[in-house]
Amino acid sequence: MVGKAPAMTGEPEIDPSRVTARLAENPAFAAVREAAAGMPAYVVGGSVRDALIGRPHLDLDVVVEGEIEPLVAALGGEATEHERFGTAAVEVGDAEVDVARARAESYPRPGALPDVRPATIAEDLGRRDFSINAMAHPLSGDEELLDPHGGLADLRAGRVRVLHERSFADDPTRALRAARYVARFGYELEDETAALLRQADLGDVSEDRVTSELARISREERPSAALKLIAEWGVLDLGPGPRLTAALERLFESSAEWREYADPAIAILLAVAPGEHPQRLRRRAAKLARHEPPASPAEVQVLAADHVPAVLAIARAAGADWLDDYVARLRHVELEISGYDLIEAGVSQGPAIGRGLNAALAAKLDGEASGYEDELRVALDAASD
Ligand code: ATP
């Protein structure tokens, strides 16, 4: 397969001598470099990759050979430590700096979480998913790019390549990550990586780990492109997920009301997430999508009001366009009366109050009640039934 050279697609040229200048565009970089003076600390992973291709990258990933505490203390920020791996997230101004101790990993069995031990930066780069993510930029001393796995050449060729042939066996979720990078950057899978990936078996991986990679995909600009690849590569059976997410993308792109009502990433994740609960919610959405278009606004309200926004978005993407009226208008309709008005008028507390208010709302939505007096009359009628 021939990769696209990013320099030919109008993106900034890949020039390692400009990495420092591009990293310096990150608001935390100057503070991190000052704090790390004299320490064996490195900017790594996506921060370096994006600096090379000239894409903004909000967070800064830093790896230290040895204890991380001196750097965290020198940064002086609020640190949230995640003990298991010796990592800390530090707020520096508006940016988040992720500091981690350099580590090596070994996999007790495929798909399991790895055993971890402290290591050198070289070993740390060697445990990473793809060559384009396995480069490091030293924060002190000679600032020459560390690129032991040919990441720069792969970036230039537009290629996603694993570091060794057991990579997908160790961690099959890397197949999902590969789809994310291929879709995001318009890259190709390197040939051997493509062959290895066909053997990636996500069957032994926990639903949580699969869901967390799918969640990263759902936050991409074009999640459906990555999901389509995952289905094409046969690494995960997503059913109608890719088609549904493409329809969700079109919905959110064309409607500010839907964007405001339902979180696009949550709806897209729900369209593909594994597990019983997501499946149950998808069945509800499918049932709504099959429903006859309701005859009145009140009926739309009754059908829609029981569901969370992501379920309604999926139902809409699957064809229930009568939900547009609910999202744009009906859900904002409020009664002028409240339960207190009914109690004051003599209705006793209990289900009669809800019955009355529902009847008033239905009448208002259908244009059969307007104003306080009308609403109260309809509600009292229904409450006394
Ligand atoms: P982006 O989504 O832009 O790549 P990022 O690089 O910060 O952002 P993360 O998913 O946070 O992406 O991962 C950080 C780094 O950790 C990656 O660049 C990669 O080197 C490494 N990494 C993450 N997940 C894995 C994995 N499953 N196997 C090996 N390395 C991984």
Side-chain angles (χ1 to χ4, degrees), residues 44-50 55-61 98 103 105 107 114 124-135 163 167 171-175 177 180-181 184-185 209 213 216 220:
V44 293
S47 306
V48 177
R49 178 201 66 220
D50 287 346
R55 273 193 168 223
H57 190 104
L58 279 180
D59 302 334
L60 208 54
D61 294 323
D98 285 318
R103 64 187 196 244
E105 292 177 343
Y107 289 82
D124 189 289
L125 296 177
R127 73 170 172 86
R128 287 174 185 264
D129 49 1
F130 307 110
S131 64
I132 57 171
N133 286 341
M135 293 178 270
L163 307 189
S167 186
D171 181 358
T173 66
R174 289 172 184 160
R177 299 177 61 82
R180 186 158 60 89
Y181 293 121
R184 184 198 295 171
F185 297 126
R209 296 194 62 212
E213 282 305 333
R216 286 169 192 267
E220 294 283 311

